[in-house]
Structures are given as structure tokens and as C-alpha cells.
Amino acid sequence: MDYIVSARKYRPMTFSSVVGQTALTTTLKNAVKSGKLAHAFLFCGPRGVGKTTCARIFAKTINCTHVTADGEACNECESCQAFNEQRSLNIFELDAASNNSVENIKTLMEQTRIPPQIGRYKVFIIDEVHMLSAAAFNAFLKTLEEPPSYVIFILATTEKHKILPTIISRCQIYDFERMDVPHTVEHLKMVAGKEGITYEEEALALIAEKADGGMRDALSIFDQCVSFCGGNLTYEKVVGNLNVLRSDNYFKLVELSLANKVADVMVLLNSIIASGFDGGQLINGLASHIRNVLMAKDPATLPLLEVSERQREKYREQAQQCPPKFLYQALRYCNDCDINYRASSNKRLLVELTLIEIAQATQDDDVSSGRQRRKSLKNLFRKLAASGLQQAASQVAATGRQTEKAQKAPVTTSAPQPSALHTPAPSATGTQPTTGATPPATGTQPTAGATPQVTGTGNQPMVGATPTPQRPTGATLRTSLRNQPLSFKSLKASQQKADQTEESEITNQGESNSFSEDDLQREWLSMCNRMMAVMPGLAARMKHITPHVTEYPNIELLVDNNQLLEQIEQIKGRIRKTMAVYLKNGQITFSLRLAKAEEIKPVLSRREIFEKMRENNDAFEHLRKMLDLELV
């Protein structure tokens, strides 16, 4: 007997043998038992999930003369026998992928006029109906809406969105589901048992995962692996035949990343690429693996894992070791790599950087960029505070040295030099204070240890008026630090102020050349053009300001908003110095004023300026036409 592939050999012949579509087959069986059949059905779903198979079973069942109690065909009557032997005249199949013209549809419509000879219904199955042309759909509309009572249409498609809404509205729609891994594995076990093939459950699970929800694909891969393995399906042989990266590599990558072993991750990546696997394939597989680990953390999401029971247990064990934050970050890194992989010119470097980021995701927050920036700011402020303390200390030391110098200086009758911490209080009389007593209003000497007081006639200090050095208190230090610029804003403001003071000095105050409004506006525009290199935003806004001479040589600037006014005010001295040099007049002064509402004029583009000039003077338009000019 000729060899028949498993997808055809084990194709379901009854509703009960259809895998993974329980809800849909139950609905169809109930419709058969009740006799309430629509005239048109639309079967939608992915490839290989049983759309055409269910259409054939349904067509066979509605023509069966002895339908069973559960809505199945009897397989014994003449209609069922004719169908099983592929000689039934009541069932017509049309492949719309290759018969998609209007003529093909018209031929099909001709067949609807002939009633069935055996059975009750003529069933027309149109596969891949979305491939019909627009003209063919339009030719099909009227018959689909009002067919003869004995005609039933079953349309099957994998791309429902390509079908005209007018077609969809005339059909009952049945959406087929993807095959999940457990159902696929069970069906493969049944096929392997009938074929006498030994297997490992992990090998069948790998085949089911590779099929991606299609039973026909799963059976095709199963046949391929059986041919390779010689009737004994093992996980190792299936992995080698399908060229699939072993799941152990993904588990190992996650373990190394949790331990921050970047070097080991790079070694493993090199061995994977050397085995012939693509970096993009590795990233996609790793993303799916991390997603499964994330699903395994919660018992509620554990059923979402379409893997074997042994694999599910491995995912559960690794999920207990992985913090959720690490899994979220790793998924984001893999997704970014997948997005940029195709456009990258150095794909391996992109994969390596992604794995390095994943391997560093669980390191301390101190190495993260945000925390590192905050740490740098703290260190900077510490340095600024230290410099403030050092400056205050140097001031105190300088004051102490001045005081000590004043103590050691010989006392003469001449006027003394003032000291920073010594404030003389001249008395009305010239009596010398007495040593060891509290200084009275008359001339007694001060008591030892008492606060000295200087008295004398006029500005003459008396002998023994020695100032006692004072120590700076905590308030003095705090006042000194408070006056220090300990923020970026104050540092920047003080620097700008210093720069303005320095640059606002006029070096040509002796020049007083006269200048006109045209000279002023020409030099203003030139200055703005030069500013574009360092202050492009401010220079672009200043170009729209037209300076005017109010009282010579005072220049007035009308600014239309407060923000621009503040920005120009900060560089007002530099502007004055520049204009003084280029206009050769050191007596220039500048005044800024916020424009009133009626003084604000709209800013015109070059095209608008040209249009206005052309309206006011016809010569511009004549010149443009004569030279065939066009404003770009």
C-alpha cells in the first residue's frame, strides 16, 4: 500500500474525533439534531485547525439518512458510503485560491440549479474564499443571500478581514481556535500508539510547540522526526532534527544573569552562535522563556504555560529564584533588541549588549545610571560645602592673624590702624584706666581679665588699650556658609553676573561716530547671525526685533513677551559693547521695554514679504515674470 502522511491518514471523520474544537462541534451537532440549518456558514481560523475537515463532516452529517442521537453520521447509509468513497454528487469543493474569477463563480452558480438526487442538501465548500476577486464576490452575493432551499454554502478562510462585509453579513460565523500544546500532545500520542512508535513526552511537547497551534503542522513535523529517529522519538534527536535551541540554554542564561556572571554569559553566547543558531532566534527564544518564567511565578497564570509537566516544574523552580523586577527588565531588553535587530548593522554586538544589560539587571542600585547621577550630585554638593567651610576657616584665620599683628604692634601716640575685630569707643575724658578694676567713667585702670576699653582725648588712644582677640562662634560659620553659592542656580547666576560685568565694559568710549537707522538695523542683523553659533534659539527670536533710535544715541528695543525680555536683559551689556564697537560709538545706551498690544506686529515670512511688495509695486511682478524667478 502506498504511504499516506499522518495528516491525511488520521484526518477526523466524525465530530467527536475533531481535536480542540469542542464548543464549535457541539454547536454544529445541535444544529443537525434540531434541523435548524443556516443557508451559509463561514469557518474562520488559523491554518491546520480543522476548518475544511469540519466542513466535510458537517456536509456528510446533514445528508445522512440515519443521524445518531448525538448528531453524528451513521456511516452506513448510501449517502455516507458515497461520501466515504469520495463519489458523492451532493458535495462540491472549490479552491478559491486557483479558481477566483467571475467565470468560476458563474459555473458554480449553474450547479446550484440542479437539486440533489440522493440526500437532502447540496453542499458547496469554498476553501480560501478570501482569494476571490472583487468581481467574483459581487457575482456571488445574490445567490449567497437567497439560495435554493436545498443549497448550503460553507466558506472557509484564514484571513477573515479580507472578505467583503456584505459577504460576512450573509453567513453564520464560526471562529476556530488554535490548538494548545496539551491537546496536540494527546493527539500525537494516539497516532504514535497506532503506528507503534515509542516516544518521550518532552519530544512530543517540543513538536507541539514547533507546530504553533496547527494540528496539520504538528503531524507533518511528527512524520519528519519519525523518519529521522527511526521509530524512537527522543528529545535529543528531535532537537537535532528540528535545529531547535535546547531549553537548557535559556535556563542557564537566566541563572548566569541572576549571578551577574557577564563573562560566562558571553562564553555561552559564543558557543550557541558557533552551533549555527542566529542571534535573533536566541533573543526571541529567551524572551519566550522569560515570559514563561514570569507566568510560573503565580499559580493563577501557571496554566498559561503550553509545555509538558516536567518543563512546567522546571519553570516553577526557576521562577522562585527570579525577582519580578529582573523579569520585567529582561523582557523589556529582549523586546528592544528584537525591534532593533533587523536594522542593526552589527547584530552580534546588539545581542551581546542586550545580554550584558540582562546580566547586570540585578546589581545594586548604586551602579544604575539614575542612582549614579544622584550620587554624583551629592558628592558635588559635599565638595561645595567643604569649599565653603574652607573659605570661612580661611577668613577666620586671616582675621586672627590681623588681630595678633595688632597686639604685637608697638603703641604710639599716632593714630592706630583699625582692626576687623576692634571697635574703639572714645571717652569724653582723658583719664587712664586703672589696672585690675572695672573701668569707671573716669581714668582708672581696667581689672585683669575684664573687657578692655579704649579711652582718650580726641582720637588719641591711651596706653594699655590692648584689644583681646575674639573667637568666631558657630553663628559666624553658619552665616559664612549661608552666603556661599551652594546650588547650580546660584553658581550659574553669579557666573553670568560676573561675565556680564566683565563684558559690558566699553573699550571705545572715546568714539562718537554718527549712525543711521539703516546702519543700526544692519549691524543688529549681523550680530544676530553671529550669535546663531552659540545661542541659536535666542538669536532667532532677536532677528524679529527691530531696534530704533529714540533720543540719539539711545537705542530702544520693543520685546513682545516677558521671557524674551529677561533673556535679553541678561546679555544687555554684551549687546551694548558689540554695537558700540561695530557702530564706532562708545556713547550708545540701550533701553528695553515690553511692547503694548497695539505695538506688536505680525512676523512675516519671506514669501509674505514678497507678496506684500508685489501688491504695492507691479514692477516686482513684472521683473519676476521677465526673469522667470520663483521664490523657494
Side-chain angles (χ1 to χ4, degrees):
M1 178 180 287
D2 294 337
Y3 172 75
I4 301 176
V5 296
S6 299
R8 291 180 56 195
K9 185 175 180 180
Y10 296 98
R11 192 167 196 166
M13 300 298 292
T14 60
F15 285 125
S16 58
S17 59
V18 176
V19 180
Q21 309 295 340
T22 305
L24 190 143
T25 55
T26 302
T27 304
L28 292 177
K29 287 193 293 184
N30 291 337
V32 172
K33 288 190 293 184
S34 64
K36 297 179 180 179
L37 302 176
H39 64 275
F41 298 85
L42 178 61
F43 291 173
C44 313
R47 69 183 189 276
V49 293
K51 298 185 297 296
T52 306
T53 297
C54 286
R56 291 178 179 177
I57 297 173
F58 184 63
K60 171 185 173 182
T61 306
I62 61 178
N63 278 312
C64 179
T65 57
H66 301 92
V67 178
T68 62
D70 58 349
E72 295 281 6
C74 66
N75 286 320
E76 296 178 356
C77 64
E78 176 58 27
S79 177
C80 292
Q81 292 291 336
F83 178 84
N84 293 338
E85 296 172 5
Q86 299 182 1
R87 56 181 176 83
S88 176
L89 300 178
N90 294 343
I91 300 174
F92 297 86
E93 289 193 32
L94 177 69
D95 180 19
S98 55
N99 302 281
N100 54 8
S101 64
V102 178
E103 288 74 14
N104 299 126
I105 293 299
K106 287 182 178 180
T107 303
L108 186 66
M109 295 304 100
E110 292 292 333
Q111 298 291 331
T112 62
R113 299 179 182 180
I114 305 173
Q117 301 301 316
I118 300 176
R120 289 175 292 180
Y121 298 100
K122 259 193 171 182
V123 183
F124 294 86
I125 302 173
I126 304 179
D127 204 3
E128 304 296 338
V129 68
H130 65 274
M131 299 293 288
L132 288 178
S133 63
F137 271 129
N138 293 327
F140 186 39
L141 275 177
K142 187 61 178 176
T143 305
L144 182 64
E145 184 176 11
E146 296 179 357
S149 59
Y150 51 82
V151 171
I152 291 179
F153 291 102
I154 303 178
L155 313 180
T157 180
T158 57
E159 301 184 36
K160 176 183 173 182
H161 60 279
K162 291 186 178 180
I163 302 177
L164 294 180
T166 51
I167 296 290
I168 295 177
S169 64
R170 288 165 168 81
C171 303
Q172 280 190 4
I173 303 173
Y174 291 82
D175 291 311
F176 285 69
E177 300 177 355
R178 289 177 65 253
M179 297 291 176
D180 56 9
V181 172
H183 281 102
T184 306
V185 170
E186 289 299 321
H187 190 67
L188 293 178
K189 286 181 179 179
M190 182 270 295
V191 175
K194 290 185 177 181
E195 294 292 329
I197 298 172
T198 58
Y199 57 84
E200 292 181 0
E201 188 169 349
E202 288 187 358
L204 298 183
L206 181 59
I207 293 174
E209 292 175 19
K210 187 72 173 179
D212 194 23
M215 184 61 74
R216 182 172 59 239
D217 293 351
L219 290 171
S220 300
I221 298 173
F222 175 81
D223 289 344
Q224 175 185 341
C225 293
V226 168
S227 300
F228 177 78
C229 300
N232 182 21
L233 288 177
T234 62
Y235 181 78
E236 295 294 335
K237 293 181 179 179
V238 171
V239 166
N241 183 39
L242 299 181
N243 195 29
V244 177
L245 188 59
R246 292 173 54 88
S247 60
D248 295 342
N249 291 297
Y250 300 127
F251 283 102
K252 187 66 175 178
L253 278 174
V254 173
E255 292 175 2
L256 294 176
S257 298
L258 288 173
N260 307 129
K261 296 181 179 180
V262 178
D264 294 340
V265 169
M266 293 295 101
V267 172
L268 181 58
L269 171 64
N270 184 70
S271 64
I272 292 173
I273 294 178
S275 300
F277 293 98
D278 183 58
Q281 181 182 358
L282 170 64
I283 291 297
N284 289 331
L286 181 61
S288 300
H289 175 83
I290 296 174
R291 176 259 181 196
N292 290 343
V293 174
L294 185 61
M295 295 299 105
K297 286 192 71 68
D298 193 337
T301 57
L302 192 59
L304 298 179
L305 298 182
E306 296 184 349
V307 295
S308 63
E309 188 61 33
R310 182 178 176 184
Q311 287 288 98
R312 184 178 286 109
E313 186 62 31
K314 292 178 65 176
Y315 278 118
R316 188 188 294 111
E317 292 176 0
Q318 189 167 76
Q320 304 304 320
Q321 305 171 3
C322 299
K325 183 179 179 181
F326 163 75
L327 297 175
Y328 297 146
Q329 290 180 346
L331 278 177
R332 184 172 66 251
Y333 293 146
C334 291
N335 183 62
D336 293 342
C337 180
D338 182 50
I339 293 173
N340 300 323
Y341 187 80
R342 183 170 297 180
S344 175
S345 59
N346 193 341
K347 293 178 171 53
R348 174 161 182 170
L349 178 60
L350 178 63
V351 174
E352 289 177 346
L353 289 175
T354 301
L355 295 180
I356 290 173
E357 288 178 326
I358 294 174
Q360 292 179 341
T362 58
Q363 288 186 353
D364 295 336
D365 291 339
D366 289 339
V367 300
S368 61
S369 58
R371 182 64 61 87
Q372 187 67 24
R373 285 193 294 270
R374 292 193 292 271
K375 185 177 179 182
S376 300
L377 290 176
K378 290 180 181 179
N379 292 336
L380 178 58
F381 280 116
R382 289 195 190 102
K383 292 179 181 179
L384 290 173
S387 64
L389 286 171
Q390 185 176 2
Q391 185 175 357
S394 62
Q395 291 178 356
V396 172
T399 304
R401 287 194 297 270
Q402 292 177 2
T403 304
E404 184 179 358
K405 184 177 180 180
Q407 288 177 346
K408 294 180 179 179
V411 179
T412 61
T413 57
S414 60
Q417 296 296 327
S419 174
L421 299 179
H422 175 213
T423 304
S427 176
T429 62
T431 309
Q432 290 188 5
T434 305
T435 305
T438 303
T442 57
T444 58
Q445 292 289 342
T447 307
T451 303
Q453 207 172 26
V454 181
T455 59
T457 304
N459 294 328
Q460 285 275 349
M462 302 304 297
V463 177
T466 304
T468 303
Q470 301 177 5
R471 290 187 177 182
T473 62
T476 307
L477 289 178
R478 286 194 295 271
T479 303
S480 300
L481 287 178
R482 191 179 297 115
N483 295 332
Q484 300 303 318
L486 298 182
S487 67
F488 288 120
K489 185 175 180 181
S490 58
L491 286 172
K492 184 177 180 181
S494 61
Q495 183 65 30
Q496 288 180 349
K497 185 174 180 181
D499 295 343
Q500 294 166 11
T501 305
E502 180 182 354
E503 295 182 1
S504 62
E505 297 177 357
I506 304 299
T507 58
N508 59 335
Q509 294 183 356
E511 293 183 321
S512 59
N513 291 3
S514 61
F515 57 90
S516 62
E517 289 275 353
D518 293 338
D519 296 334
L520 172 61
Q521 295 177 8
R522 182 181 65 253
E523 295 300 336
W524 177 266
L525 185 60
S526 299
M527 179 188 68
C528 293
N529 291 333
R530 293 191 299 270
M531 286 176 60
M532 291 296 291
V534 290
M535 301 179 182
L538 181 58
R541 292 190 290 271
M542 287 175 57
K543 280 186 177 181
H544 299 303
I545 299 177
T546 303
H548 296 285
V549 179
T550 53
E551 296 181 3
Y552 190 87
N554 181 59
I555 300 173
E556 184 182 57
L557 300 179
L558 290 181
V559 186
D560 57 359
N561 61 81
N562 285 319
Q563 183 180 7
L564 182 58
L565 182 66
E566 293 176 359
Q567 291 178 346
I568 297 179
E569 186 71 38
Q570 293 177 359
I571 60 172
K572 176 181 175 182
R574 298 168 61 182
I575 296 176
R576 177 172 175 264
K577 178 180 178 181
T578 302
M579 299 305 293
V581 171
Y582 283 91
L583 292 176
K584 299 181 180 180
N585 191 323
Q587 309 302 320
I588 288 177
T589 59
F590 266 90
S591 60
L592 301 177
R593 182 166 64 85
L594 189 64
K596 300 178 182 178
E598 59 272 12
E599 293 177 328
I600 299 177
K601 298 180 180 179
V603 179
L604 302 179
S605 63
R606 294 183 178 180
R607 183 175 295 277
E608 291 173 339
I609 295 173
F610 177 75
E611 293 293 339
K612 190 172 182 180
M613 294 171 60
R614 187 169 60 177
E615 291 176 2
N616 297 334
N617 193 340
D618 296 336
F620 283 100
E621 179 62 18
H622 178 70
L623 179 63
R624 187 190 69 81
K625 291 182 178 179
M626 183 176 64
L627 298 179
D628 192 20
L629 299 177
E630 181 178 356
L631 185 63
V632 180

PDB file of all heavy atoms in Angstrom, residues 441-457:
ATOM      1  N   ALA A 441      33.867 105.669  84.623  1.00  0.00           N
ATOM      2  CA  ALA A 441      33.749 106.749  83.624  1.00  0.00           C
ATOM      3  C   ALA A 441      34.968 107.625  83.631  1.00  0.00           C
ATOM      4  O   ALA A 441      35.234 108.330  82.685  1.00  0.00           O
ATOM      5  CB  ALA A 441      32.497 107.570  83.895  1.00  0.00           C
ATOM      6  N   THR A 442      35.765 107.603  84.763  1.00  0.00           N
ATOM      7  CA  THR A 442      36.977 108.406  84.836  1.00  0.00           C
ATOM      8  C   THR A 442      38.177 107.538  84.618  1.00  0.00           C
ATOM      9  O   THR A 442      38.070 106.355  84.321  1.00  0.00           O
ATOM     10  CB  THR A 442      37.053 109.105  86.215  1.00  0.00           C
ATOM     11  OG1 THR A 442      37.007 108.110  87.220  1.00  0.00           O
ATOM     12  CG2 THR A 442      35.877 110.064  86.383  1.00  0.00           C
ATOM     13  N   GLY A 443      39.399 108.091  84.837  1.00  0.00           N
ATOM     14  CA  GLY A 443      40.614 107.403  84.438  1.00  0.00           C
ATOM     15  C   GLY A 443      41.134 106.380  85.387  1.00  0.00           C
ATOM     16  O   GLY A 443      42.165 106.591  85.990  1.00  0.00           O
ATOM     17  N   THR A 444      40.525 105.240  85.545  1.00  0.00           N
ATOM     18  CA  THR A 444      41.017 104.112  86.315  1.00  0.00           C
ATOM     19  C   THR A 444      41.421 103.007  85.398  1.00  0.00           C
ATOM     20  O   THR A 444      40.882 102.850  84.302  1.00  0.00           O
ATOM     21  CB  THR A 444      39.940 103.620  87.289  1.00  0.00           C
ATOM     22  OG1 THR A 444      38.792 103.276  86.544  1.00  0.00           O
ATOM     23  CG2 THR A 444      39.593 104.682  88.330  1.00  0.00           C
ATOM     24  N   GLN A 445      42.404 102.159  85.851  1.00  0.00           N
ATOM     25  CA  GLN A 445      42.901 101.052  85.050  1.00  0.00           C
ATOM     26  C   GLN A 445      41.887  99.921  85.075  1.00  0.00           C
ATOM     27  O   GLN A 445      41.303  99.620  86.099  1.00  0.00           O
ATOM     28  CB  GLN A 445      44.244 100.558  85.596  1.00  0.00           C
ATOM     29  CG  GLN A 445      45.380 101.545  85.420  1.00  0.00           C
ATOM     30  CD  GLN A 445      45.810 101.679  83.979  1.00  0.00           C
ATOM     31  OE1 GLN A 445      45.498 100.819  83.175  1.00  0.00           O
ATOM     32  NE2 GLN A 445      46.523 102.743  83.641  1.00  0.00           N
ATOM     33  N   PRO A 446      41.700  99.176  83.980  1.00  0.00           N
ATOM     34  CA  PRO A 446      40.769  98.038  83.969  1.00  0.00           C
ATOM     35  C   PRO A 446      41.323  96.854  84.737  1.00  0.00           C
ATOM     36  O   PRO A 446      42.517  96.653  84.817  1.00  0.00           O
ATOM     37  CB  PRO A 446      40.640  97.701  82.481  1.00  0.00           C
ATOM     38  CG  PRO A 446      41.901  98.197  81.875  1.00  0.00           C
ATOM     39  CD  PRO A 446      42.301  99.393  82.647  1.00  0.00           C
ATOM     40  N   THR A 447      40.456  96.080  85.315  1.00  0.00           N
ATOM     41  CA  THR A 447      40.848  94.885  86.058  1.00  0.00           C
ATOM     42  C   THR A 447      41.327  93.821  85.099  1.00  0.00           C
ATOM     43  O   THR A 447      40.842  93.708  83.964  1.00  0.00           O
ATOM     44  CB  THR A 447      39.645  94.368  86.862  1.00  0.00           C
ATOM     45  OG1 THR A 447      39.120  95.440  87.639  1.00  0.00           O
ATOM     46  CG2 THR A 447      40.027  93.222  87.784  1.00  0.00           C
ATOM     47  N   ALA A 448      42.294  92.969  85.574  1.00  0.00           N
ATOM     48  CA  ALA A 448      42.811  91.897  84.707  1.00  0.00           C
ATOM     49  C   ALA A 448      41.685  90.932  84.343  1.00  0.00           C
ATOM     50  O   ALA A 448      40.963  90.460  85.191  1.00  0.00           O
ATOM     51  CB  ALA A 448      43.935  91.156  85.435  1.00  0.00           C
ATOM     52  N   GLY A 449      41.582  90.629  83.081  1.00  0.00           N
ATOM     53  CA  GLY A 449      40.538  89.715  82.600  1.00  0.00           C
ATOM     54  C   GLY A 449      39.282  90.432  82.173  1.00  0.00           C
ATOM     55  O   GLY A 449      38.411  89.839  81.562  1.00  0.00           O
ATOM     56  N   ALA A 450      39.152  91.689  82.496  1.00  0.00           N
ATOM     57  CA  ALA A 450      37.961  92.431  82.082  1.00  0.00           C
ATOM     58  C   ALA A 450      38.099  92.850  80.647  1.00  0.00           C
ATOM     59  O   ALA A 450      39.179  92.903  80.094  1.00  0.00           O
ATOM     60  CB  ALA A 450      37.751  93.645  82.993  1.00  0.00           C
ATOM     61  N   THR A 451      36.991  93.194  80.043  1.00  0.00           N
ATOM     62  CA  THR A 451      36.996  93.626  78.640  1.00  0.00           C
ATOM     63  C   THR A 451      37.662  94.971  78.542  1.00  0.00           C
ATOM     64  O   THR A 451      37.267  95.927  79.216  1.00  0.00           O
ATOM     65  CB  THR A 451      35.561  93.713  78.107  1.00  0.00           C
ATOM     66  OG1 THR A 451      34.962  92.449  78.265  1.00  0.00           O
ATOM     67  CG2 THR A 451      35.546  94.127  76.649  1.00  0.00           C
ATOM     68  N   PRO A 452      38.719  95.086  77.770  1.00  0.00           N
ATOM     69  CA  PRO A 452      39.439  96.363  77.708  1.00  0.00           C
ATOM     70  C   PRO A 452      38.591  97.409  77.021  1.00  0.00           C
ATOM     71  O   PRO A 452      37.806  97.110  76.129  1.00  0.00           O
ATOM     72  CB  PRO A 452      40.692  96.027  76.901  1.00  0.00           C
ATOM     73  CG  PRO A 452      40.297  94.862  76.072  1.00  0.00           C
ATOM     74  CD  PRO A 452      39.319  94.089  76.885  1.00  0.00           C
ATOM     75  N   GLN A 453      38.794  98.628  77.387  1.00  0.00           N
ATOM     76  CA  GLN A 453      38.086  99.758  76.797  1.00  0.00           C
ATOM     77  C   GLN A 453      39.087 100.849  76.524  1.00  0.00           C
ATOM     78  O   GLN A 453      39.977 101.126  77.321  1.00  0.00           O
ATOM     79  CB  GLN A 453      37.010 100.253  77.764  1.00  0.00           C
ATOM     80  CG  GLN A 453      35.856 100.932  77.049  1.00  0.00           C
ATOM     81  CD  GLN A 453      34.736 101.218  78.030  1.00  0.00           C
ATOM     82  OE1 GLN A 453      34.977 101.355  79.227  1.00  0.00           O
ATOM     83  NE2 GLN A 453      33.510 101.293  77.545  1.00  0.00           N
ATOM     84  N   VAL A 454      39.011 101.445  75.403  1.00  0.00           N
ATOM     85  CA  VAL A 454      39.976 102.454  74.983  1.00  0.00           C
ATOM     86  C   VAL A 454      39.360 103.812  75.210  1.00  0.00           C
ATOM     87  O   VAL A 454      38.250 104.082  74.719  1.00  0.00           O
ATOM     88  CB  VAL A 454      40.363 102.274  73.512  1.00  0.00           C
ATOM     89  CG1 VAL A 454      41.393 103.323  73.114  1.00  0.00           C
ATOM     90  CG2 VAL A 454      40.927 100.888  73.305  1.00  0.00           C
ATOM     91  N   THR A 455      40.043 104.629  75.970  1.00  0.00           N
ATOM     92  CA  THR A 455      39.567 105.991  76.220  1.00  0.00           C
ATOM     93  C   THR A 455      40.671 106.955  75.933  1.00  0.00           C
ATOM     94  O   THR A 455      41.841 106.599  75.918  1.00  0.00           O
ATOM     95  CB  THR A 455      39.112 106.171  77.688  1.00  0.00           C
ATOM     96  OG1 THR A 455      40.208 105.876  78.522  1.00  0.00           O
ATOM     97  CG2 THR A 455      37.963 105.226  78.006  1.00  0.00           C
ATOM     98  N   GLY A 456      40.373 108.173  75.719  1.00  0.00           N
ATOM     99  CA  GLY A 456      41.365 109.167  75.443  1.00  0.00           C
ATOM    100  C   GLY A 456      40.749 110.451  75.000  1.00  0.00           C
ATOM    101  O   GLY A 456      39.529 110.579  74.894  1.00  0.00           O
ATOM    102  N   THR A 457      41.599 111.366  74.737  1.00  0.00           N
ATOM    103  CA  THR A 457      41.145 112.659  74.271  1.00  0.00           C
ATOM    104  C   THR A 457      41.188 112.691  72.769  1.00  0.00           C
ATOM    105  O   THR A 457      42.225 112.416  72.170  1.00  0.00           O
ATOM    106  CB  THR A 457      42.022 113.786  74.851  1.00  0.00           C
ATOM    107  OG1 THR A 457      42.004 113.669  76.249  1.00  0.00           O
ATOM    108  CG2 THR A 457      41.525 115.144  74.431  1.00  0.00           C
TER     109      THR A 457
END
